[in-house]
Amino acid sequence: MKAEIIAVGTELLLGQIVNTNAQFLSEQLAALGIPVYFHSVVGDNAERLQQQLTLSTARSSLIFITGGLGPTKDDLTKETLSSFTNLPLVVDRQAMENIEHYFAQRQRRMTENNRRQALVLEGATIFPNETGLAPGMAIETKSCTYLLFPGPPSELIPMFERYAIPYLQGKRADSSVVHSKVMRFCGIGESELETRLQDLIEQQTSPTIAPLAKEDEVTLRLTSRARSIADAEAEMREVIDEVRKRVGEYLYGWDQDTLEQVIISEFKQRAYTLATAESCTGGRIGALLTSVHGASDVFLGSMICYSNQVKRELLQIPQQMLEQYGAVSEQVAARLAENVSQMFGATFGLSVTGVAGPSMLEDQPVGLVYIGISHAGQSTVQTLRLAGDRESIQRRAAKYALYALWNHFRTGQ
Amino acid sequence: MKAEIIAVGTELLLGQIVNTNAQFLSEQLAALGIPVYFHSVVGDNAERLQQQLTLSTARSSLIFITGGLGPTKDDLTKETLSSFTNLPLVVDRQAMENIEHYFAQRQRRMTENNRRQALVLEGATIFPNETGLAPGMAIETKSCTYLLFPGPPSELIPMFERYAIPYLQGKRADSSVVHSKVMRFCGIGESELETRLQDLIEQQTSPTIAPLAKEDEVTLRLTSRARSIADAEAEMREVIDEVRKRVGEYLYGWDQDTLEQVIISEFKQRAYTLATAESCTGGRIGALLTSVHGASDVFLGSMICYSNQVKRELLQIPQQMLEQYGAVSEQVAARLAENVSQMFGATFGLSVTGVAGPSMLEDQPVGLVYIGISHAGQSTVQTLRLAGDRESIQRRAAKYALYALWNHFRTGQ
C-alpha cells in the first residue's frame, strides 16, 4: 500500500495558508502504518489537477485529496475526479438534508451552488461532515482508492478521526501495529550523535532509528512494526539500552517531553526551588520555565539584569569586579548566580551573561556566553561560544542554560 | 516563468514537521510576481527525488528545492541533482572555511560528514549561509534554473531575503518592478480593519491591498507593479493617506517593524527608560524587548515576580493588599508598575499580572490579565480578557502589554 496526499487550493500556492492538513494526515497515516511517499499541492485548476491525478494514480494505490469540495466555482475536485474516473456525480440525500437543514435553521436563503456540496461520486463510501456542509468520501477503482476531504482543518480532522480511520483499518490486510518512541537529546550535535550510532541507524530493521535535528536539540525516532504495542516495546528495549550506553548522558526526555518540563518536574520531586538572573537572554529562560503549568512551585522568579546598573545596585555585583573582569565574565556569572539565589531564597541560582550581538561588548566577541549555577554555597560556570544571529544566540543561550542546569542537577546527585 | 517548490525530507512525509518553507517561499514569490504552480514533498530517497526532478523539469522553468543539504547520509539533494544535471560536485572554499571555523571556535571535533556540507554543484551561484553551515545555490541549465536552500527556516529565510531575492530580480525579463509595502496594525481585529477598508480592498487595481492576520496583529500589504520603485511609491501614496485617515490610530509600523523596535526607538529618542514586573508572562516582555539591538539604552531590566513571596519581599507589595484584592487585581498591577519603576530608577514602569491557566488562580478566571503602566508618579491599569491556551494567553498578554505601553506613550504626549 503506497499512499500520497494531494492538496487542492490556490491559496496554498500563494502562501496565504500553510498546508497543515498534509502534516495531520501524514502523522495519522504513519500511526496506521501506511507509508506516505509524496505530498503535492495544485491550484484550483482542472487541467493541472487532472495532470496530478494521472501522475499519482500511476505511482500510488491510496490517494488522499484535501480541498476543493466547497460551493464556489473554483471548487472543482469532485468534477475533475468524476471526469477522470468516468464515475458520474449523484446527489447524496443525507448531505442534501444537512445542507437544507443548515439554511432553514439560520433562515438564510440557500443559493444554487450550495446544492453542489451534496454531490458525490457514484458508488462512493460517504464520510459525513459533522462540522460543515461538504461530505468527504472514498472511491475505490481498479487501480486505486481516492479519499476526498474538505479543506478546513476543523472539518477534515473530526471527519478523518471518526470515519476515515475505521474505513482504512477495515482495508488493512494484516493486523500489525506501528509503534513509535522518540528519545530527546540536548548538548550533542546531530552529526556527532549519528557518528556514534551509525551501525544502529544503518541496520534499518525493526525498530528503525531516525535522527532529526530540531531547534537546539536532536531527537531519535524508533519505529517498530509488530503484532502488538507490547511486542513493539519489547523489540525496542535492546536498542534503547544500546543507545543509552553510548549517548545516555545527553538523553533528557521521551516523546513530547521538553527540557523545561523535565527540570520543573525533577525539582518539584525534591522540593527544590530556582531563581535566575538573566542578562543577555533577557527573559527567555523565565518564558521557557513558565510555559510549564505548575512552574510556580519551583520557579520563584528572575531578575532580568540587562543593564550594569541593575547588576550593581540590585544584584550587588561589586563595581570593582565589573571593571576588572567585565560584565561578561566567569566571575560575574558566578556571583550573579550566587546573589540571585540568596535574594530570592532559592535552592538553585542560574545566571546568564554574554554577548548576543550584533556588535561586540566590552571587547568580548559575539556569541561568548557564561552560564553560572549556584547551589549550596558552591558555584560553577560554563563557557559557551555560540554561532548565529542575535535571535539564535539568545535562544540557544537560554536552552543551553537549562541544559547545563539539568546536567548539573543530574550529575551532582 | 513558471515556478514550483520541492521540499525534500522524510520528516515531512511522517508529519513530524509542517512545510512552512513552501508557504514562506510562495508568499515571497507572489510578492516578486513569480507564479507558483506546484508544491511537492519527497522523502530522503534518491530514486523518488530523481523522478520528481524529471517531472518538475518538464513543466517548470524555476525550481526551488528545500532541505537535504545537511551533513548526514540521508541528505542527498546535491548528489541527486548532480547526477541528474551531470554537473560534478566541487568544494566551495568559502563554505569550507566557515565550517572549519565553526568547529575550531567551539573546540569540537569536525566529523568527515561535515565536510560534505561545503560541496556545491560546479558553476553554481552560491548563497552564503550566515546562520548555519550548508550554503544554498542557484544552478542554471538549458532547460531550467534550480535554487537550493537548507531546510531549517532559520537558515532559509535570511538566505532567501539577502541573496535569492536580488538574484531573482536580476533574472526578470521585463524591467517593471513589483514593489510592496506592509502597514502593521495592533489593537484592531482583522474583520474590523477589513470592514473599514472594504471599498479600497475590493478595488483590486494597482496598488492592490491585502489584509492578513498574523499572530496578535494585522498587516496590510500594498503591492504595486510600476516602472520604478519611485513610481510605485507615488502610486501608493494616495491609498496610504486614505488608510491612515480611517485606521491610522492603530498603525504602529511599516514593513519589518516590530512593536518592540518601535518602542525602543521612540523611548531612545526621548531618553526614556523602562523597567518591567512580569508575573504571568514570566519573561516574555523582556525577551521581546531584548530581541532589539540597542535595547540596553532603554530597557534597564525586569523583575519576574512569579511567586507571591517575590511580589511581597522584593517588590514591596503589602501583604494586606495581596490578601484583600488578590495577586491578580488592578491594585496589585498598579503598585507593581510603580514599585518596579522606582526600584530600577526608570522613567516608565510596566507590569503584568494575570491567570495564564489552565486552572483558575485565587478564584479568578483563566485569561483575566491586568496591565499596569506607571509614569511620573501616575499609574493606569488596563484589563484584558484573553482567550486561548496557556501559551497563547502568555504570548498575547506580553504583546498587549507592549501595545498598551506604546499607546499610552503616544497618546499621553
Side-chain angles (χ1 to χ4, degrees):
Chain A
M1 196 146 52
K2 283 186 186 179
E4 67 175 275
I5 300 168
I6 303 170
V8 184
T10 301
E11 66 278 21
L12 288 158
L13 296 179
L14 288 171
Q16 290 168 352
I17 56 171
V18 186
N19 191 4
T20 54
N21 286 339
Q23 189 230 353
F24 170 78
L25 291 174
S26 295
E27 208 176 13
Q28 295 285 322
L29 295 173
L32 287 164
I34 298 172
V36 174
Y37 288 107
F38 295 96
H39 293 174
S40 311
V41 178
V42 280
D44 302 313
N45 176 292
E47 192 192 326
R48 283 192 287 276
L49 178 53
Q50 171 110 19
Q51 278 174 25
Q52 182 66 50
L53 287 171
T54 307
L55 171 71
S56 301
T57 302
R59 68 188 180 188
S60 300
S61 54
L62 209 47
I63 300 175
F64 294 80
I65 309 176
T66 64
L69 304 185
T72 70
K73 275 233 165 54
D74 57 6
D75 290 306
L76 34 76
T77 299
K78 288 183 297 194
E79 288 71 9
T80 309
L81 190 63
S82 163
S83 83
F84 184 76
T85 56
N86 283 319
L87 290 168
L89 289 170
V90 295
V91 171
D92 180 62
R93 190 181 298 266
Q94 181 64 52
M96 187 60 91
E97 275 173 23
N98 282 348
I99 295 169
E100 284 166 353
H101 177 72
Y102 174 91
F103 283 91
Q105 211 184 20
R106 278 162 192 73
Q107 300 177 322
R108 273 172 52 192
R109 194 168 58 93
M110 182 168 140
T111 58
E112 198 44 47
N113 53 12
N114 285 120
R115 290 181 196 278
R116 292 181 53 212
Q117 293 186 93
L119 294 176
V120 299
L121 271 77
E122 195 175 70
T125 303
I126 306 304
F127 303 145
N129 190 336
E130 293 173 358
T131 51
L133 297 180
M137 67 200 84
I139 301 115
E140 304 185 7
T141 70
K142 248 188 247 171
S143 44
C144 71
T145 299
Y146 305 89
L147 291 98
L148 273 53
F149 298 92
S154 62
E155 300 178 23
L156 177 143
I157 294 172
M159 182 186 289
F160 187 87
E161 289 176 342
R162 175 127 5 145
Y163 299 104
I165 290 180
Y167 172 84
L168 290 167
Q169 279 171 332
K171 273 180 72 79
R172 280 259 300 283
D174 71 75
S175 63
S176 67
V177 299
V178 176
H179 183 59
S180 280
K181 246 185 151 54
V182 176
M183 303 178 82
R184 310 188 81 92
F185 299 87
C186 196
I188 183 170
E190 187 191 13
S191 51
E192 177 69 25
L193 184 89
E194 197 175 311
T195 303
R196 294 212 208 167
L197 302 177
Q198 201 152 12
D199 54 319
L200 300 176
I201 293 168
E202 281 175 359
Q203 259 172 237
Q204 289 293 346
T205 54
S206 190
T208 56
I209 304 183
L212 182 67
K214 297 233 170 176
E215 242 179 34
D216 316 317
E217 63 173 73
V218 192
T219 64
L220 212 56
R221 176 179 290 263
L222 283 71
T223 307
S224 263
R225 183 187 282 269
R227 266 186 302 180
S228 67
I229 290 184
D231 283 3
E233 297 246 334
E235 198 180 72
M236 286 177 184
R237 212 159 295 143
E238 203 179 325
V239 178
I240 288 174
D241 286 346
E242 187 57 32
V243 171
R244 291 190 99 131
K245 211 187 288 171
R246 300 193 197 175
V247 288
E249 61 198 293
Y250 305 103
L251 176 73
Y252 76 81
W254 299 85
D255 298 323
Q256 303 301 316
D257 284 350
T258 63
L259 200 47
E260 46 275 18
Q261 274 171 354
V262 169
I263 288 171
I264 295 289
S265 125
E266 297 198 356
F267 269 56
K268 200 182 274 184
Q269 271 173 38
R270 289 166 180 80
Y272 284 167
T273 55
L274 173 68
T276 59
E278 299 194 52
S279 180
C280 68
T281 47
R284 280 162 188 76
I285 298 175
L288 286 170
L289 290 170
T290 59
S291 71
V292 182
H293 176 53
S296 52
D297 294 340
V298 169
F299 179 58
L300 302 182
S302 173
M303 182 65 103
I304 305 182
C305 46
Y306 207 61
S307 66
N308 275 353
Q309 180 201 336
V310 171
K311 292 187 186 76
R312 209 168 44 230
E313 291 174 13
L314 298 177
L315 278 159
Q316 319 291 339
I317 305 297
Q319 174 64 23
Q320 189 258 339
M321 184 184 261
L322 287 170
E323 275 167 18
Q324 187 175 351
Y325 303 106
V328 179
S329 64
E330 233 181 286
Q331 290 80 0
V332 168
R335 190 64 74 87
L336 282 172
E338 288 159 21
N339 291 5
V340 83
S341 72
Q342 271 183 19
M343 186 173 171
F344 285 78
T347 329
F348 277 80
L350 174 66
S351 73
V352 185
T353 177
V355 188
S359 32
M360 308 226 298
L361 189 72
E362 298 175 351
D363 291 331
Q364 300 277 42
V366 172
L368 176 67
V369 174
Y370 294 99
I371 292 173
I373 296 172
S374 158
H375 173 50
Q378 296 260 316
S379 62
T380 57
V381 176
Q382 281 192 35
T383 311
L384 306 176
R385 285 181 179 81
L386 301 173
D389 57 7
R390 181 178 175 87
E391 164 66 24
S392 316
I393 290 173
Q394 290 180 318
R395 203 189 59 227
R396 285 181 189 149
K399 188 93 180 199
Y400 273 88
L402 290 181
Y403 169 68
L405 179 67
W406 171 75
N407 203 35
H408 177 97
F409 172 76
R410 197 184 46 120
T411 57
Q413 298 298 304
Chain B
M1 196 145 54
K2 282 185 184 177
E4 67 175 275
I5 300 167
I6 303 171
V8 185
T10 301
E11 66 276 21
L12 288 158
L13 296 179
L14 288 171
Q16 291 169 354
I17 55 171
V18 186
N19 191 4
T20 55
N21 287 339
Q23 189 231 351
F24 170 78
L25 290 174
S26 295
E27 206 177 13
Q28 295 285 322
L29 294 173
L32 287 165
I34 298 172
V36 175
Y37 287 107
F38 295 96
H39 293 174
S40 310
V41 178
V42 281
D44 303 312
N45 175 293
E47 193 192 325
R48 283 190 288 276
L49 177 53
Q50 170 110 19
Q51 278 174 26
Q52 182 65 50
L53 287 171
T54 308
L55 171 71
S56 301
T57 303
R59 67 187 180 189
S60 300
S61 55
L62 209 49
I63 300 176
F64 294 80
I65 308 177
T66 64
L69 304 186
T72 70
K73 275 238 163 55
D74 57 6
D75 290 307
L76 34 74
T77 300
K78 288 183 298 195
E79 289 70 9
T80 309
L81 190 64
S82 163
S83 82
F84 184 75
T85 56
N86 284 318
L87 291 168
L89 288 171
V90 294
V91 170
D92 182 60
R93 191 181 298 265
Q94 181 64 51
M96 186 61 91
E97 275 172 22
N98 283 348
I99 295 170
E100 284 167 352
H101 177 72
Y102 175 90
F103 282 91
Q105 208 186 23
R106 276 159 197 76
Q107 301 174 327
R108 271 172 55 188
R109 192 165 60 94
M110 180 168 141
T111 57
E112 197 44 48
N113 51 13
N114 284 119
R115 290 181 196 279
R116 293 181 52 213
Q117 294 186 94
L119 294 176
V120 300
L121 271 78
E122 196 176 69
T125 304
I126 306 303
F127 303 145
N129 189 336
E130 292 173 358
T131 51
L133 297 180
M137 67 200 84
I139 301 114
E140 303 186 7
T141 69
K142 248 187 248 171
S143 43
C144 70
T145 298
Y146 305 89
L147 291 100
L148 272 53
F149 298 92
S154 62
E155 300 178 23
L156 177 145
I157 294 172
M159 182 186 291
F160 188 88
E161 289 176 342
R162 175 128 3 146
Y163 298 105
I165 290 179
Y167 172 84
L168 290 166
Q169 279 172 331
K171 272 182 72 79
R172 284 262 299 283
D174 73 64
S175 62
S176 71
V177 298
V178 175
H179 183 59
S180 281
K181 246 186 152 54
V182 176
M183 303 178 82
R184 311 188 81 93
F185 301 86
C186 196
I188 183 170
E190 188 190 15
S191 53
E192 175 68 24
L193 185 89
E194 209 176 304
T195 304
R196 294 211 207 169
L197 303 177
Q198 199 152 13
D199 53 319
L200 300 176
I201 293 168
E202 281 174 358
Q203 260 173 237
Q204 289 294 343
T205 54
S206 191
T208 56
I209 304 183
L212 184 65
K214 297 234 169 177
E215 243 178 35
D216 317 317
E217 62 173 74
V218 192
T219 64
L220 214 55
R221 178 181 287 266
L222 283 71
T223 307
S224 264
R225 186 186 280 269
R227 267 185 302 181
S228 67
I229 291 184
D231 282 4
E233 296 246 336
E235 198 179 72
M236 286 177 185
R237 211 160 295 143
E238 202 179 324
V239 178
I240 288 173
D241 286 346
E242 186 58 33
V243 170
R244 289 191 100 129
K245 211 186 287 170
R246 300 193 198 176
V247 288
E249 62 197 292
Y250 305 102
L251 176 75
Y252 76 82
W254 298 85
D255 298 324
Q256 302 302 316
D257 283 350
T258 63
L259 200 46
E260 45 276 17
Q261 274 172 353
V262 170
I263 289 172
I264 295 290
S265 124
E266 297 197 355
F267 269 56
K268 199 182 275 184
Q269 272 173 38
R270 290 165 180 79
Y272 283 167
T273 55
L274 174 68
T276 59
E278 298 193 52
S279 180
C280 69
T281 49
R284 280 161 188 76
I285 297 175
L288 287 170
L289 291 169
T290 59
S291 71
V292 183
H293 176 54
S296 52
D297 294 340
V298 169
F299 179 57
L300 301 182
S302 173
M303 182 64 104
I304 305 181
C305 45
Y306 207 62
S307 65
N308 274 353
Q309 180 200 335
V310 172
K311 292 188 185 77
R312 210 168 44 229
E313 292 174 13
L314 299 177
L315 279 159
Q316 318 293 338
I317 305 297
Q319 174 64 23
Q320 189 258 340
M321 184 184 259
L322 287 169
E323 276 168 17
Q324 187 176 350
Y325 302 107
V328 179
S329 63
E330 232 181 284
Q331 290 79 0
V332 169
R335 190 65 75 86
L336 282 172
E338 288 158 19
N339 291 5
V340 84
S341 71
Q342 271 184 19
M343 187 173 169
F344 285 78
T347 329
F348 277 80
L350 174 67
S351 74
V352 185
T353 178
V355 188
S359 31
M360 307 225 300
L361 188 73
E362 297 175 351
D363 290 332
Q364 301 277 41
V366 173
L368 176 66
V369 174
Y370 294 98
I371 292 173
I373 296 171
S374 157
H375 174 52
Q378 296 260 315
S379 61
T380 57
V381 176
Q382 281 192 35
T383 310
L384 307 176
R385 283 181 181 80
L386 301 173
D389 58 7
R390 181 178 176 87
E391 164 67 24
S392 318
I393 290 173
Q394 291 180 318
R395 203 189 59 229
R396 285 183 187 145
K399 188 94 180 198
Y400 273 89
L402 290 181
Y403 170 68
L405 180 66
W406 171 74
N407 204 34
H408 178 98
F409 173 77
R410 196 185 45 123
T411 55
Q413 297 300 304

